[in-house]
Amino acid sequence: MTTNAEESRTRPRRRAPAGAAVLREDVTEAIRAAVFEELAAVGYARMSIEGIARRAGVGKTAVYRRWRSKLHLVLDVVSALAVLGLPVPDTGSLEGDLRLLYEVTSRALRHPVASQIIPDLQAEAARNPDIAEAMQKTLREGQEGVASKIIEAAQRRGELAETIDDDLAMDLISGPLYWRSVVIRTPKLPKGYLAALAHGTTEALKAL
């Protein structure tokens, strides 16, 4: 009669998945990077899985193992931006926090790749509700998440009223720089613009 111990010694061991069964993280990251490059080069409408795979140096099957279509791929990449977020400034004053936020945000929005991708995805969002939802999530969880913490810190310091209108405060903080950098796409911000914007926004928030 075969004992349990003998059965465990003779039973074939299951091998760990290898090769195609394992999704290598370096390949996944290469594909994500290729998506940004491809979006900047040709836009969403002309972007293809073939072009992404070629740019990433992988086969099409490597892309399809991870995402079933270019829409799902772009949605995943755009949504991932929300997780990255922005650093929360902690300068000790509302105006200082806003100034630092604007400097970081301005550099991000004016990056050559971002400055091409964001307007294109916005145009696509007007036609595709899934992309619109992903874009809204990215902007809300990224920019507004940081802005809300700046407001809370200013309230604790007594710089802002506890009864401030949060939605209006968010609009005041995020709107002007986004308008300049993304909507009208000013080639170069005027000298002293970010400092003046931080000061003006601070005074406007205090008046709420």
Side-chain angles (χ1 to χ4, degrees):
M1 183 175 180
T2 305
T3 65
N4 291 338
E6 289 173 335
E7 286 181 356
S8 64
R9 286 195 300 269
T10 58
R11 186 185 302 123
R13 294 182 179 179
R14 295 183 62 184
R15 297 180 60 185
V22 177
L23 297 181
R24 289 170 46 190
E25 186 61 28
D26 59 332
V27 173
T28 302
E29 290 307 312
I31 295 171
R32 286 195 173 110
V35 171
F36 282 108
E37 295 172 4
E38 194 73 359
L39 279 170
V42 303
Y44 177 82
R46 294 175 56 198
M47 188 181 76
S48 66
I49 295 295
E50 290 82 358
I52 293 169
R54 184 168 53 252
R55 195 178 289 272
V58 301
K60 288 191 299 181
T61 54
V63 180
Y64 282 118
R65 283 194 203 109
R66 293 161 172 83
W67 301 277
R68 63 179 183 267
S69 69
K70 80 170 185 178
L71 173 60
H72 290 89
L73 174 51
V74 171
L75 289 177
D76 174 65
V77 171
V78 171
S79 297
L81 293 177
V83 179
L84 297 177
L86 295 167
V88 179
D90 185 18
T91 66
S93 73
L94 175 58
E95 186 169 337
D97 287 352
L98 290 175
R99 172 70 183 274
L100 187 54
L101 173 65
Y102 290 149
E103 289 175 352
V104 173
T105 304
S106 177
R107 286 196 296 269
L109 290 176
R110 296 168 70 81
H111 186 280
V113 174
S115 64
Q116 294 177 38
I117 290 176
I118 293 176
D120 182 64
L121 286 179
Q122 282 184 315
E124 197 63 37
R127 298 183 288 269
N128 189 313
D130 291 328
I131 291 182
E133 182 179 355
M135 289 289 289
Q136 183 183 40
K137 177 183 175 65
T138 297
L139 293 174
R140 182 176 299 278
E141 294 188 8
Q143 180 77 12
E144 293 190 3
V146 175
S148 65
K149 289 182 174 60
I150 290 176
I151 292 172
E152 290 169 4
Q155 288 173 326
R156 288 194 298 270
R157 290 191 297 262
E159 293 180 274
L160 294 178
E162 294 292 335
T163 57
I164 192 171
D165 185 324
D166 290 335
D167 289 335
L168 182 54
M170 295 295 178
D171 290 343
L172 285 171
I173 292 174
S174 305
L177 184 57
Y178 188 80
W179 170 264
R180 276 271 189 172
S181 301
V182 178
V183 180
I184 63 175
R185 305 180 73 179
T186 304
K188 186 177 181 180
L189 293 176
K191 185 177 181 179
Y193 175 80
L194 295 180
L197 178 60
H199 179 73
T201 304
T202 298
E203 294 305 309
L205 290 171
K206 289 180 177 179
L208 292 181

